[in-house]
Amino acid sequence: MPLTLERSPTTYVPPDPSRFRRLLRDLLSIDVPDGYRAEIVGESIVLSPWPPPHYLLTMRAIESQLAPLAPDGHVLTGTPCLFTFPAQERAVQPEMYAVDRSAFHTDAYHLDGRELSLAVELTCPATRHHDYGDKLATYGQAGVPVYLLADMEEQRTTVFWEPGEDGYAERESARFGEELRVPAFSAREPGAVGATPLKPPRTAAPPAPAGDPRPPSGGPAWPGCC
């Protein structure tokens, strides 16, 4: 006998500036442990570890290849920085980003996420669902021109561009080591894109230390790492 599941109606909860301000105040008051970052994702404060050391080669490759694309006056960096998106009630710290140098001329402990010209995230098992879900929607709805997502588990890079209310209209992906055409992230108008090839190196997680219970591949991450 067929089983029919009735879907519950979706309730739209409009953004609440006061709720976001409270969350942001709470986040900034947290004594975050060394090696971790605090973000507002999915209307909750989330603590997650920064990428483990073996991610560094991929990050350096991405940085060196994307630096020529940075708009004049913009800096491409992985320096920890909190970017806020009040309209989406989110506050995130991308692994790498590009932003105009003038954005740093502030005494605030966070920057406006709408100033980003590029956001880069590297997945880890504990938070990859945020990278593909909540953060993808947040960056797109806020108008961040380009979002680059390096999937460290699948060894695949995906670039998203042409942001809008529904997220990103365009995407393209390639395996690590293969060429990926990345749109110029200086463009904020749909269709106004240039491109440059990007080839993150093929990487592999280092062997687990003696006594580490992690399986050689496909298992959970080491304690203290993503």
Side-chain angles (χ1 to χ4, degrees):
M1 180 174 114
L3 177 65
T4 302
L5 298 179
E6 190 171 311
R7 177 179 295 176
S8 301
T10 301
T11 303
Y12 170 69
V13 179
D16 181 348
S18 63
R19 177 176 57 202
F20 177 71
R21 285 195 297 269
R22 288 194 301 271
L23 275 172
L24 184 59
R25 184 182 63 244
D26 291 343
L27 182 150
L28 294 175
S29 68
I30 293 175
D31 185 11
V32 180
D34 290 344
Y36 281 74
R37 56 180 167 177
E39 301 176 299
I40 299 175
V41 180
E43 300 178 8
S44 300
I45 296 176
V46 176
L47 289 180
S48 59
W50 283 102
H54 69 270
Y55 279 37
L56 179 61
L57 292 179
T58 299
M59 295 176 68
R60 291 292 298 273
I62 292 174
E63 181 178 8
S64 64
Q65 293 177 70
L66 289 185
L69 274 184
D72 290 341
H74 282 227
V75 58
L76 176 64
T77 179
T79 302
C81 186
L82 182 69
F83 290 90
T84 58
F85 300 86
Q88 289 75 35
E89 297 186 359
R90 302 294 189 268
V92 301
Q93 298 189 56
E95 267 93 20
M96 194 179 302
Y97 56 88
V99 67
D100 194 288
R101 294 176 184 273
S102 63
F104 295 104
H105 298 163
T106 176
D107 293 329
Y109 288 98
H110 51 84
L111 301 181
D112 187 340
R114 295 172 300 181
E115 297 293 329
L116 288 167
S117 54
L118 169 75
V120 179
E121 300 283 1
L122 281 69
T123 68
C124 63
T127 58
R128 70 194 307 269
H129 60 291
H130 291 318
D131 297 328
Y132 277 105
D134 200 276
K135 288 187 177 182
L136 173 61
T138 296
Y139 291 139
Q141 292 168 3
V144 177
V146 175
Y147 173 37
L148 188 75
L149 180 56
D151 192 317
M152 301 299 288
E153 289 71 50
E154 295 188 1
Q155 297 279 285
R156 177 175 294 275
T157 307
T158 302
V159 60
F160 302 85
W161 72 97
E162 292 198 15
E165 292 183 1
D166 297 324
Y168 288 95
E170 300 292 338
R171 71 177 64 189
E172 186 174 329
S173 64
R175 298 284 298 174
F176 283 9
E178 297 176 351
E179 184 175 283
L180 176 67
R181 303 295 291 181
V182 178
F185 43 90
S186 59
R188 287 190 175 269
E189 295 78 24
V193 294
T196 193
L198 173 71
K199 295 181 69 175
R202 293 186 179 90
T203 61
D212 193 320
R214 189 186 70 165
S217 62
W222 298 0
C225 293
C226 283

